[in-house]
Amino acid sequence: MRVLFVTWAWPSHFLPLVQLAWACRAAGHEVLVASQPSLEGEAVGAGLPFAAVGRDLDIRPLVRPFFSRLVDENRTVEWAEMRRWGTANVHTYVLLAEAMAEDTTALARHWRPDLVVCEPTTYAGPLAAAAVGVPAVRQLWGADYTYRTREFEPDALRELAARLGLTEDVETLGVASVDPCPPSLQTDAPVRRIPLRYAPFHGTGSLPGPPAGSGRPRILVTGSSAVAELSGRDVPDLPVLLRALGTLDADVVAVVPERERARLRTLPGGLPDTVRLVGRTPLHLLLHGSDLLVHQGGGGSVLAGSAAGVPQLVAPRFPDHLFNARQLAATGAGLLLAPGALRPDAVREAAAALLSGPDHRAAAQGLRHEIEAMPPAAAAVAGLERVAHDPGRGPSMTSTTGELP
């Protein structure tokens, strides 16, 4: 079987595909990653063959008006408000598809995959699959946030689909969704799922030396660069978090991009001595031995913390962050602090509750056990094989949530 993995060139959208791509190769299948040229280093570094398609597109100026407004207004945005925007919700992803779809389709005609696997916002994947007549499968990052926008996608993609010679609307959900999310954390969207036991992979890197054995709890903080990059703002969240957490009887390890580290070093009064800053390090290398994970709510961070059985404190800024944080909080394994509530006293109170509360720890361990009970990657590959050989066994939009039979 030949499997074409398609993603646009943002590493956090590519990395969730790596586990399944490796599993396909381990099962003896041919694999090829197709993305915009700037992802080549990341894909090859992950040990996967790569084909450049289309052109790179800098999304930052496209999304900056929206994200900078969220930061300036110190708020998140609810889906009820966003839904009124209609196809504008997927405008950036449609532009990415326009930059990739023709070349991806040409590659598919040349390479002749049996199956196309794509991350949920890379519409070039299902478009190319439809154009060459093979099934498409979504690979989810975690809780299915992007299912919300499906109602707008046919209208938004109709013109591009016509340029590819497609006369009918393309089903962007594909025929099935590979799902690494534990059931109690997932939404109840009506899609057919191929469950996958999640194995964290956040890129290659080295462990920056073992932490000092102080005997105190260890708090791991991730300082994502995405909010600063996409909003174009110096976001105040990380200094507030680190200063507040540094007053607890705990060791704080913060994974912070170089640009943010330089800013933190110049803060008046500096940071508490209990706070240790490390450079870019894959999250999965640092979670072992941590007692609390603090982050902004990305799907990869939520799943990594869940797989490690670690309680999580989430400070969301973007709509998907808020969605993920609420899904996590509903399980009892985490707490969320919205931008307006991100004050030092609130941070200390929430962190202390997560560190000392047996219910939160039990819920976090429950998520870990759910993930461990999910089918291994080899079983997910078998599910892909069944889809490739019999696409008609994929779901209709009235199908119930459940494993692909």
Side-chain angles (χ1 to χ4, degrees), residues 22 65 72 133 150 276 328 342:
W22 282 345
D72 292 344
R150 178 185 175 271
R276 175 190 176 200
L328 180 68
L342 197 65

Side-chain angles (χ1 to χ4, degrees), residues 181-196:
C181 189
S184 65
L185 192 60
Q186 187 55 278
T187 61
D188 191 23
V191 298
R192 187 64 63 86
R193 303 181 191 279
I194 302 176
L196 168 68

Side-chain angles (χ1 to χ4, degrees), residues 160-186:
L160 176 56
R163 294 209 300 267
L164 297 173
L166 299 169
T167 58
E168 297 182 359
D169 290 339
V170 172
E171 178 52 82
T172 50
L173 297 177
V175 298
S177 296
V178 175
D179 187 2
C181 189
S184 65
L185 192 60
Q186 187 55 278

Side-chain angles (χ1 to χ4, degrees), residues 81-391:
E81 177 182 345
M82 293 179 64
R83 191 169 183 269
R84 294 195 293 269
W85 306 340
T87 58
N89 282 287
V90 296
H91 176 67
T92 298
Y93 300 131
V94 171
L95 293 179
L96 287 162
E98 290 175 344
M100 295 176 61
E102 291 184 3
D103 277 7
T104 305
T105 302
L107 173 65
R109 289 197 173 108
H110 170 74
W111 196 66
R112 297 182 180 179
D114 300 290
L115 188 72
V116 174
V117 176
C118 55
E119 66 85 38
T121 62
T122 303
Y123 304 143
L127 286 168
V132 300
V134 299
V137 170
R138 286 194 309 163
Q139 161 82 61
L140 300 179
W141 325 306
D144 198 355
Y145 173 78
T146 55
Y147 180 81
R148 289 173 160 180
T149 59
R150 178 185 175 271
E151 63 179 300
F152 309 119
E153 290 162 4
D155 285 346
L157 290 169
R158 196 162 289 133
E159 182 179 338
L160 176 56
R163 294 209 300 267
L164 297 173
L166 299 169
T167 58
E168 297 182 359
D169 290 339
V170 172
E171 178 52 82
T172 50
L173 297 177
V175 298
S177 296
V178 175
D179 187 2
C181 189
S184 65
L185 192 60
Q186 187 55 278
T187 61
D188 191 23
V191 298
R192 187 64 63 86
R193 303 181 191 279
I194 302 176
L196 168 68
R197 183 190 303 157
Y198 177 70
F201 179 75
H202 300 272
T204 57
S206 302
L207 190 67
S214 68
R216 296 182 298 190
R218 180 150 66 99
I219 301 173
L220 177 60
V221 183
T222 63
S224 170
S225 61
V227 174
E229 280 192 49
L230 297 180
S231 68
R233 299 289 191 268
D234 286 332
V235 185
D237 299 6
L238 193 57
V240 172
L241 287 167
L242 294 181
R243 283 178 160 167
L245 295 170
T247 64
L248 299 173
D249 185 23
D251 296 317
V252 181
V253 178
V255 185
V256 183
E258 177 54 41
R259 175 179 178 272
E260 189 73 4
R261 274 184 287 161
R263 184 166 74 100
L264 290 171
R265 293 189 191 106
T266 62
L267 287 176
L271 293 172
D273 293 338
T274 55
V275 176
R276 175 190 176 200
L277 302 181
V278 299
R280 180 182 175 185
T281 307
L283 178 59
H284 61 276
L285 294 181
L286 294 169
L287 271 168
H288 178 71
S290 295
D291 300 285
L292 174 63
L293 175 62
V294 181
H295 58 93
Q296 291 175 320
S301 297
V302 170
L303 279 188
S306 299
V310 176
Q312 301 175 53
L313 175 59
V314 186
R317 278 281 175 180
F318 291 170
D320 59 317
H321 297 165
L322 179 62
F323 174 85
N324 293 332
R326 285 175 171 163
Q327 292 295 114
L328 180 68
T331 71
L335 296 173
L336 74 93
L337 290 175
L342 197 65
R343 300 180 301 274
D345 58 340
V347 172
R348 286 191 293 269
E349 180 180 346
L354 290 166
L355 286 170
S356 62
D359 290 345
H360 293 303
R361 291 198 304 273
Q365 287 297 313
L367 288 179
R368 179 174 71 85
H369 294 320
E370 278 191 52
I371 290 175
E372 290 174 347
M374 294 174 72
V381 173
L384 294 183
E385 292 168 351
R386 291 193 291 272
V387 168
H389 290 126
D390 187 2

